[in-house]
Amino acid sequence: MGNPTHFSLEVPKRAHQLLRDLYEHLSDSDGTKLPLKATFLLSISMPIVILPIERILKYKRKPSEVHMNDAVLNPKLADAVDRAIDLEAKVNLTEFFTGPWQFASLEKGAGFPNLAADGLPEAVAAQLDSPSAIEDAKNLSANRFCKILRNALAHGGILYLDEHGRSSSSSPVRRFAFVSTNDPRNPTKLHFLRIGMADYRAFLQKWVEWLKTEAIDDILAKDVGLDAADAMDAIVPEEAVKAAAE
């Protein structure tokens, strides 16, 4: 296949295939070389996470905005995305959640720190180290969790962290922190989600599996180039088909 017919489903699938095929061939950071695994993992995750939110959820909730609306291409998938990324329900109840994520927040006070220059504040890192940070992440609404992740990926709110979850220019990258404000118009807090690289990769796999599972009934035939009857033959053993016909 060349041009995707369902951009926010097929491009994340293709990006995840690149992740599976290429990730282990890249070098780890040793503190002296560029952290190619971290950079690749982060880069490849952008279309995986952002596209379903931007081109399905956005238009499912605002159908009048139609210039990039994938929601109409697979209504079953659009409904599933809308239900899963719930405004109130806890994210740990969704099919795409896997952890351990850690959550913390920082009040604006007199002003936000410049994370680009100063890295992750130690006070925030200490919050993220506490056992409650994992429970706080689980208890985020699915909508808030996805907003933090989407906004961080879309706007560069990402920090590379070492194995201890701290900013370090000389240590290998082992974790990420995703940072977003609580309100784009009048921000009063910074939200932080922290996760290890291996756990983030596992989350991406779960996310793509969730999308494919929710969409499979409508896109299976298109994916394998068969009509609906032939597609069912492809997944149902021939013996079962014969038994059902008898």
Side-chain angles (χ1 to χ4, degrees), residues 86-104:
D86 191 277
L87 295 174
E88 301 295 337
K90 294 178 181 179
V91 69
N92 71 310
L93 301 177
T94 66
E95 294 295 328
F96 59 76
F97 185 79
T98 182
W101 291 86
Q102 299 162 316
F103 173 75

Side-chain angles (χ1 to χ4, degrees), residues 18-158:
L18 287 172
L19 180 59
R20 290 197 314 266
D21 294 348
L22 301 177
Y23 186 74
E24 295 304 332
H25 297 289
L26 298 175
S27 61
D28 278 309
S29 170
D30 63 1
T32 60
K33 325 187 257 196
L34 287 174
L36 295 180
K37 274 192 171 180
T39 301
F40 181 70
L41 181 60
L42 187 62
S43 300
I44 210 71
S45 74
M46 292 180 182
I48 291 175
V49 174
I50 292 173
L51 288 176
I53 295 173
E54 284 298 295
R55 293 182 58 147
I56 296 178
L57 185 66
K58 176 180 177 180
Y59 295 109
K60 176 68 179 175
R61 294 181 177 175
K62 296 181 180 179
S64 60
E65 300 179 16
V66 296
H67 72 285
M68 284 290 182
N69 185 359
D70 282 347
V72 299
L73 301 178
N74 187 323
K76 179 180 182 293
L77 176 60
D79 288 343
V81 170
D82 189 28
R83 285 195 307 271
I85 306 179
D86 191 277
L87 295 174
E88 301 295 337
K90 294 178 181 179
V91 69
N92 71 310
L93 301 177
T94 66
E95 294 295 328
F96 59 76
F97 185 79
T98 182
W101 291 86
Q102 299 162 316
F103 173 75
S105 61
L106 178 68
E107 297 285 346
K108 181 177 182 179
F112 291 131
N114 183 357
L115 305 180
D118 302 326
L120 184 68
E122 181 55 34
V124 174
Q127 284 186 58
L128 292 167
D129 288 342
S130 68
S132 62
I134 293 176
E135 292 303 311
D136 290 342
K138 290 180 179 179
N139 290 327
L140 288 170
S141 73
N143 190 64
R144 173 62 68 187
F145 174 89
C146 288
K147 273 190 174 180
I148 296 171
L149 198 53
R150 178 264 174 210
N151 290 348
L153 288 168
H155 300 296
I158 300 155

